[in-house]
Amino acid sequence: MQIIPENEIARLLQLAELNLDYVSLKEEFNGLAELAARITGTPISHINLIDALHQWTIGDFGFPSTLTPREETVCQFTILNNSHLEVKDLRSDPRFQEKGFVTQSPYFKYYYGIPIDLKGYNIGSLCVIDTEDNSISPDKINLLEIIAKEVKERIKHKNTIHLITEKNLKLLRNYKMLAHDIRSPIGGISGLADIILQEEHIDMMEYLSNMKLIKESSDSVLNLVNDLMSELTDESTFNNDITIKDFTEQLLNLFHAQAQTKQVTINVNINPTLSTRKIPKNKFFQMIGNLVSNSLKFSPMKSEIQIHFEIMKSEKQIFVIRIKDFGIGMTADQIKDVFSDKVNSTYGTAGEVGNGFGIHFVKLIVEELKGTFSVTSEVGKGSEWIINLPIANP
């Protein structure tokens, strides 16, 4: 059964370019989710974005959610085309009747979803859900479409703000460079004026007066430059960087439920010198989140996953991230396929469905960050994913 859009790689790249912080979006989108539920009379509504391996709920009402494996969702089918998806009875649909959300609490029954498209790619969905029979009238569907458009516009605005922020950061860096470059010559002018003023045998009052003006002016400019550099020192307020320590705490919180299901322990080891180093939060969630999810999928019950943040010393320091599991492992041919453009459906140790896009997507992000990505694996003993990234000067 086809559950992957034909333009999946381009769709994922479009989603990645938005550079959204999925975790912090609920404050803005929860209200729209509630509005959708109120309009349709359903007890539950979600606004979701779908990446290679996960469904991120950025707005919810009636049933809290944040991170769900993509294969455990109905919305993975909603994004397959540009039409709405209505499932009258999830309990009798072979695609969903064995899913946990149907067979266990909250016992979903009715689903209606609208794809959220951006530049021709369905990046997510707006859906309403009921635990009883339901039917949505055309008028209410029109209102849902309006809400879906509003979701799309807000996402576009978020992206626009991100792009403007990046441009502002670039301008700020340029201003700092300019300030640094002109500080020395202006300081030299001020020093030269001091020397001239200290000469005892100059008796031209007008010349002396002009030199005083030069000194006063240059000192004023120097003070302005110092003030400008002081104001522009802290760039962290303009971006979404996060310390590695805080990042790992959020990562563990996100995957706690998924790990608990298989009683898998996730252990994190951070080089002490890296603990407070800041990293781009969204990119790292896209990379490491996909790899951790992949390791969970192929790990046996009661096993372990290790995440290491290290520094490799060479001519230039390299930031090394290693994600190691003790799962089913891969053959050489499987490793080759994983790093190719092939789409291979594989099943996890608990029957989880994989689509083959997750690792390829991680590879694209690592390349964007000018790094390298590799894996070592042995059948029956597990896999270790290794990301090497250049360390920028702090």
Side-chain angles (χ1 to χ4, degrees), residues 5 18 48 70-71 109-111 115 127 175-176 179 188 195 218 247 250 264 273 278 301 312 327 332-333 344 347 394:
L18 295 173
N48 303 309
R70 179 169 170 172
E71 66 271 13
K109 185 174 185 181
Y110 176 83
Y111 171 95
C127 68
Y175 281 137
K176 286 204 292 186
I195 293 174
S218 59
F247 169 82
Q250 292 190 20
V264 172
T273 62
K278 290 192 173 183
M301 295 287 292
M312 180 173 66
D333 287 340
N344 297 309
Y347 291 90

Side-chain angles (χ1 to χ4, degrees), residues 250-306:
Q250 292 190 20
L251 185 77
L252 292 175
N253 287 335
L254 277 174
F255 285 97
H256 175 72
Q258 192 175 342
Q260 194 174 46
T261 300
K262 300 180 78 169
Q263 300 179 47
V264 172
T265 302
I266 302 177
N267 291 316
V268 179
N269 179 54
I270 305 174
N271 183 304
T273 62
L274 290 173
S275 184
T276 58
R277 178 173 284 273
K278 290 192 173 183
I279 55 176
K281 177 181 176 181
N282 300 341
K283 296 295 184 186
F284 269 63
F285 265 126
Q286 291 165 357
M287 289 189 305
I288 299 177
N290 273 318
L291 292 176
V292 170
S293 182
N294 188 76
S295 291
L296 281 168
K297 185 174 296 182
F298 296 105
S299 290
M301 295 287 292
K302 298 182 180 181
S303 60
E304 178 190 15
I305 293 174
Q306 299 174 357

Side-chain angles (χ1 to χ4, degrees), residues 22-250:
Y22 304 134
V23 180
S24 66
L25 291 177
K26 286 195 176 183
E27 184 176 345
E28 181 165 350
F29 288 95
N30 276 351
L32 291 177
E34 180 176 359
L35 180 60
R38 300 293 187 191
I39 287 173
T40 57
T42 55
I44 299 165
S45 177
H46 283 174
I47 299 170
N48 303 309
L49 297 177
I50 300 176
D51 69 12
L53 294 177
H54 305 109
Q55 174 177 282
W56 295 85
T57 301
I58 62 172
D60 59 45
F61 175 76
F63 186 75
S65 179
T66 299
L67 185 69
T68 307
R70 179 169 170 172
E71 66 271 13
E72 294 299 319
T73 70
V74 183
C75 291
Q76 63 175 319
F77 293 92
T78 304
I79 66 170
L80 290 179
N81 49 61
N82 294 322
S83 60
H84 302 181
L85 175 64
E86 183 179 37
V87 183
K88 290 284 189 180
D89 189 358
L90 293 166
R91 300 168 190 177
S92 62
D93 191 311
R95 295 173 296 179
F96 313 115
Q97 59 188 188
E98 300 299 326
K99 298 295 185 183
F101 54 79
V102 172
T103 61
Q104 306 169 28
S105 179
Y107 300 105
F108 291 162
K109 185 174 185 181
Y110 176 83
Y111 171 95
Y112 194 97
I114 299 175
I116 297 170
D117 75 284
L118 192 64
K119 297 182 180 179
Y121 301 103
N122 292 333
I123 60 172
S125 65
L126 164 68
C127 68
V128 293
I129 305 166
D130 207 330
T131 56
E132 305 293 340
D133 292 330
N134 205 326
S135 181
I136 301 177
S137 68
D139 288 342
K140 292 180 179 180
I141 290 173
N142 289 337
L143 292 174
L144 282 181
E145 289 176 341
I146 292 173
I147 296 174
K149 288 179 181 178
E150 176 62 20
V151 171
K152 171 183 174 179
E153 290 304 312
R154 291 194 188 187
I155 289 174
K156 287 168 63 177
H157 291 160
K158 283 283 185 182
N159 181 236
T160 300
I161 291 171
H162 166 69
L163 294 175
I164 292 174
T165 299
E166 282 195 333
K167 290 181 180 179
N168 285 341
L169 280 172
K170 187 174 182 180
L171 286 173
L172 293 179
R173 294 187 190 102
N174 290 341
Y175 281 137
K176 286 204 292 186
M177 290 175 62
L178 176 63
H180 181 271
D181 290 343
I182 66 175
R183 179 191 289 179
S184 294
I186 291 178
I189 292 172
S190 180
L192 179 61
D194 276 334
I195 293 174
I196 295 175
L197 290 172
Q198 290 171 9
E199 291 289 338
E200 296 181 357
H201 302 294
I202 297 179
D203 56 3
M204 296 180 292
M205 297 302 296
E206 184 176 356
Y207 182 77
L208 189 60
S209 176
N210 287 337
M211 289 300 99
K212 288 181 179 179
L213 290 175
I214 290 174
K215 176 175 171 32
E216 291 172 359
S217 297
S218 59
D219 284 345
S220 296
V221 174
L222 189 58
N223 289 333
L224 287 173
V225 170
N226 288 332
D227 290 342
L228 176 64
M229 292 191 70
S230 177
E231 291 175 4
L232 301 181
T233 298
D234 186 12
E235 295 179 0
S236 62
T237 57
F238 294 93
N239 56 36
N240 70 337
D241 286 359
I242 187 173
T243 65
I244 291 177
K245 181 177 181 295
D246 290 340
F247 169 82
T248 56
E249 289 177 359
Q250 292 190 20

Side-chain angles (χ1 to χ4, degrees), residues 297-354:
K297 185 174 296 182
F298 296 105
S299 290
M301 295 287 292
K302 298 182 180 181
S303 60
E304 178 190 15
I305 293 174
Q306 299 174 357
I307 305 175
H308 299 271
F309 295 89
E310 305 167 342
I311 290 180
M312 180 173 66
K313 293 184 178 180
S314 57
E315 293 184 6
K316 293 184 178 180
Q317 285 190 326
I318 302 296
F319 180 22
V320 183
I321 306 158
R322 297 189 292 114
I323 295 95
K324 180 177 178 60
D325 65 63
F326 299 87
I328 61 178
M330 294 181 290
T331 65
D333 287 340
Q334 287 174 321
I335 292 175
K336 183 178 179 180
D337 287 344
V338 158
F339 282 92
S340 72
D341 293 335
K342 296 180 181 179
V343 180
N344 297 309
S345 294
T346 51
Y347 291 90
T349 54
E352 306 99 322
V353 179

